[in-house]
Amino acid sequence: MPGQADNARQQLTTLSSKWSKTKFLLKHPALRKYVPDTSLYSYESLLDMLSKHKVAYVKPVKGTSGNGVIKVVKHHNSKFTYHVGTSTRSFAAYKDMFTSLQQTKYRREHIVQKGIDLLTYKGLIFDLRIMVQKNEKKQWEVTAYIGRLAHPQKAVTNFHNGGTPMRLEALLRPFLSDDKNANYIESLKDLGYRIATEFHKSYPKFMEIGIDFGLDSSLKPWIIEVNTRPDAYIFDQLKDKTMFQRVMLLKRFNGLLSSQRIKQKKTVRRR
Ligand SMILES: Nc1ncnc2c1ncn2[C@@H]1O[C@H](COP(=O)(O)OP(=O)(O)O)[C@@H](O)[C@H]1O
Ligand SMILES: [Mg+2]
């Protein structure tokens, strides 16, 4: 019989899997509509995803920081390309591309997800991160949100992958007038809160989650990823430190600061 510590450990292990987390979201009718079409990666599933959506993202089930994330496109002329890091490769036939992908992605397990046609700012794609934390009253609170603008040559927006953190209001300004901007951000925060509430019902040990949302041209939010060990330091990149300070205060309150620090040090050492 597994003890309590084993259960806690198991919960943490399970939630590092992007596939398990996607399956979890799909089980909830209120959240399902925000989840892009996703499958486990295979020759057939990628081909199927490309026939349906033309653009797909192939991602390591246990990846972080945008590492190993590959954008795959089926073009009008039936050519295929994939984009990883700063390079793009082109193929005349699907099977040749697949063979090359197999070498690029090594043996790790991957998922394949419909590519969201992300909004752009000055020609660069962006998405956003929302932080939801348990507060002093043990209630979920959206403590921070931030936009992330991709590096010009990359298909990922991650801060640790050349992305530039920016105020979300600034990134949304070309799409929404100032009065609508605030309401829209409130609706994103509300969605973040609902995701945290559902997560908590199944995984009560988690004190915080960070959600990556992609926005399409109709401003519909798509849940790209739910992180169960979200980084605080991205919020320190904003000039206004109010959100960062609240995030850190609750991390400290929830006893998560030391493990966060260790994680941070490891990331720095690895780079
Ligand atoms: N389905 C998708 N559509 C569009 N962009 C995506 C998609 N999946 C991932 N991305 C881009 O790649 C980044 C990294 O993917 P993500 O799933 O968050 O993995 P990681 O754990 O590496 O951060 C995202 O922040 C986003 O910029
Ligand atoms: Mg992410």
Side-chain angles (χ1 to χ4, degrees):
M1 279 271 283
Q4 234 177 2
D6 288 334
N7 283 340
R9 221 171 296 127
Q10 208 177 355
Q11 276 196 4
L12 289 168
T13 327
T14 318
L15 286 190
S16 68
S17 158
K18 286 186 173 34
W19 181 231
S20 307
K21 288 184 278 188
T22 305
K23 283 193 290 187
F24 168 84
L25 293 168
L26 289 172
K27 268 197 265 163
H28 294 272
L31 303 180
R32 190 184 302 145
K33 56 176 178 279
Y34 301 105
V35 183
D37 194 3
T38 308
S39 333
L40 267 180
Y41 171 88
S42 70
Y43 183 94
E44 291 77 21
S45 67
L46 177 59
L47 183 60
D48 184 49
M49 200 66 82
L50 290 171
S51 324
K52 279 199 273 191
H53 307 297
K54 308 282 182 253
V55 183
Y57 272 73
V58 172
K59 316 193 262 194
V61 163
K62 293 198 175 164
T64 54
S65 310
N67 294 324
V69 171
I70 309 170
K71 180 182 180 182
V72 187
V73 182
K74 181 183 180 188
H75 298 271
H76 296 302
N77 55 8
S78 293
K79 284 215 170 100
F80 296 86
T81 53
Y82 74 76
H83 180 172
V84 59
T86 54
S87 57
T88 303
R89 297 197 58 186
S90 222
F91 302 84
Y94 176 74
K95 80 171 169 19
D96 296 334
M97 181 184 70
F98 188 82
T99 307
S100 173
L101 269 180
Q102 286 298 90
Q103 286 151 10
T104 304
K105 59 181 261 314
Y106 309 108
R107 281 171 181 276
R108 287 187 293 170
E109 199 177 18
H110 283 62
I111 56 169
V112 51
Q113 190 168 69
K114 172 191 168 176
I116 305 305
D117 193 12
L118 297 178
L119 289 185
T120 59
Y121 179 85
K122 298 189 176 167
L124 303 176
I125 53 165
F126 72 86
D127 64 7
L128 63 119
R129 162 67 61 93
I130 283 188
M131 183 81 158
V132 199
Q133 294 173 281
K134 273 287 173 79
N135 65 17
E136 298 88 341
K137 295 180 190 149
K138 306 227 175 305
Q139 287 162 349
W140 286 109
E141 177 181 319
V142 175
T143 47
Y145 58 88
I146 194 164
R148 307 178 304 178
L149 194 63
H151 177 279
Q153 281 149 23
K154 294 198 179 178
V156 300
T157 57
N158 305 65
F159 178 38
H160 293 304
N161 217 309
T164 307
M166 279 182 66
R167 285 181 69 239
L168 183 59
E169 287 83 350
L171 294 174
L172 289 175
R173 194 150 298 132
F175 307 97
L176 289 166
S177 57
D178 279 351
D179 51 329
K180 290 201 176 123
N181 213 321
N183 282 344
Y184 181 70
I185 290 175
E186 277 311 308
S187 71
L188 293 175
K189 287 165 71 176
D190 181 57
L191 183 53
Y193 175 85
R194 282 189 281 147
I195 295 167
T197 310
E198 287 303 340
F199 239 84
H200 187 70
K201 287 184 196 158
S202 301
Y203 304 103
K205 291 253 152 62
F206 285 92
M207 309 297 275
E208 55 182 29
I209 59 169
I211 307 153
D212 295 339
F213 284 116
L215 307 177
D216 69 16
S217 57
S218 67
L219 291 179
K220 173 177 168 152
W222 293 90
I223 305 168
I224 288 183
E225 183 191 23
V226 175
N227 296 273
T228 48
R229 297 193 65 197
D231 187 10
Y233 292 92
I234 188 170
F235 301 106
D236 196 21
Q237 308 309 308
L238 294 175
K239 221 168 34 195
D240 181 344
K241 303 294 177 195
T242 318
M243 292 197 284
F244 175 63
Q245 281 159 1
R246 182 72 182 141
V247 167
M248 292 306 273
L249 192 141
L250 288 184
K251 271 191 183 283
R252 204 170 299 122
F253 182 80
N254 290 323
L256 293 168
L257 212 49
S258 51
S259 60
Q260 184 75 36
R261 281 252 168 82
I262 291 162
K263 188 185 154 202
Q264 194 70 11
K265 275 190 200 142
K266 276 190 190 149
T267 320
V268 170
R269 228 178 287 131
R270 239 184 281 129
R271 263 184 282 151

